[in-house]
Amino acid sequence: VQLQASGGGMVQTGGSLRLSCAASGRTISSYAMGWFRQTPGKEREFVAAVSGSGGNTLYADSVKGRFTISRDNAKNTGDLQMNSLKPEDTATYYCAARRRLVLSTYDYDYWGQGTQVTVSS
């Protein structure tokens, strides 16, 4: 499975961005998907996850109410809608997939290359 993340960019505080993750190599409808982020010198942190069916989601407290994760199994893609962005959301964002239906905050098997999000104050 190969994952390709896109949609990053630079926005002002309060703005919005939508990240997309396109999967190739096989259908990932039976795989949970997640988004993580990392800033220089810090460990990668969990942002959001969605189950294989799309029926269950989980968010880090820091993004709850502002970010929405979704997926389109027909298109083999996953998205992360980010609203009310803050400077502390600035990071490289990675999409990931795990070979299980159930979502998780860790234990992912496949990773995309990352897309940069910069929020200016």
Side-chain angles (χ1 to χ4, degrees), residues 28-36 46-60 64 69-71 96-109:
I28 60 169
S29 57
S30 60
Y31 291 10
M33 295 183 72
W35 287 91
F36 293 75
F46 169 78
V47 175
V50 60
S51 61
S53 68
N56 293 300
T57 57
L58 182 66
Y59 298 92
K64 200 172 296 182
I69 189 171
S70 61
R71 64 188 298 159
R98 65 193 303 260
R99 292 189 299 263
R100 297 165 183 82
L101 283 169
V102 178
L103 54 79
S104 174
T105 61
Y106 65 100
D107 190 26
Y108 282 74
D109 302 296

Side-chain angles (χ1 to χ4, degrees), residues 34-86:
W35 287 91
F36 293 75
R37 65 188 181 187
Q38 188 172 25
T39 55
K42 293 187 178 181
E43 292 188 357
R44 190 174 299 183
E45 67 170 349
F46 169 78
V47 175
V50 60
S51 61
S53 68
N56 293 300
T57 57
L58 182 66
Y59 298 92
D61 288 343
S62 58
V63 306
K64 200 172 296 182
R66 300 187 297 122
F67 291 11
T68 303
I69 189 171
S70 61
R71 64 188 298 159
D72 186 335
N73 285 338
K75 297 181 179 179
N76 228 26
T77 60
D79 290 338
L80 183 69
Q81 177 66 43
M82 306 185 296
N83 298 328
S84 302
L85 283 162
K86 305 174 181 180

